[in-house]
Amino acid sequence: MRIVLWAFVLALAWTVALILIAHTIGLHSVLGMWTGAVGLPGVVISNWIQAQLFRTFHRPLGYTLMFLINWGFYCSVLQGLISLKRRIWVK
């Protein structure tokens, strides 16, 4: 349960940061580019889904999809890190 909660917090923090950057200095700034790179799976997959299904970009839907995709991605990354840590420290 802690993995899911930590992944939720990470995905939420990233999404809020991206929204703030998009509304202030812009996504094409250095900070905007790096923030997009950190949330890479969500950015790419949500944009692809919207392009295939809606043929246009709806910002609220895009941020929602990015959050959900990154939440799942961060869950798997955190689980992998914990498994790796257990494997290294047990041997």
Side-chain angles (χ1 to χ4, degrees):
M1 186 65 178
R2 286 183 2 185
I3 292 172
V4 173
L5 183 62
W6 274 106
F8 180 85
V9 170
L10 286 172
L12 184 63
W14 174 82
T15 304
V16 169
L18 188 66
I19 291 169
L20 290 174
I21 290 169
H23 288 292
T24 55
I25 61 175
L27 293 175
H28 291 281
S29 65
V30 173
L31 187 58
M33 294 286 187
W34 277 107
T35 307
V38 169
L40 193 62
V43 171
V44 173
I45 296 170
S46 70
N47 285 332
W48 181 80
I49 289 171
Q50 288 195 64
Q52 295 300 315
L53 297 179
F54 303 110
R55 307 279 191 241
T56 184
F57 186 78
H58 303 284
R59 228 174 247 252
L61 177 62
Y63 288 133
T64 304
L65 288 171
M66 286 179 211
F67 167 75
L68 292 173
I69 292 164
N70 282 330
W71 186 14
F73 176 72
Y74 295 155
C75 279
S76 65
V77 168
L78 290 173
Q79 181 63 46
L81 289 173
I82 289 171
S83 297
L84 182 64
K85 180 183 109 175
R86 287 180 183 160
R87 175 174 265 202
I88 290 173
W89 283 2
V90 168
K91 291 185 179 182

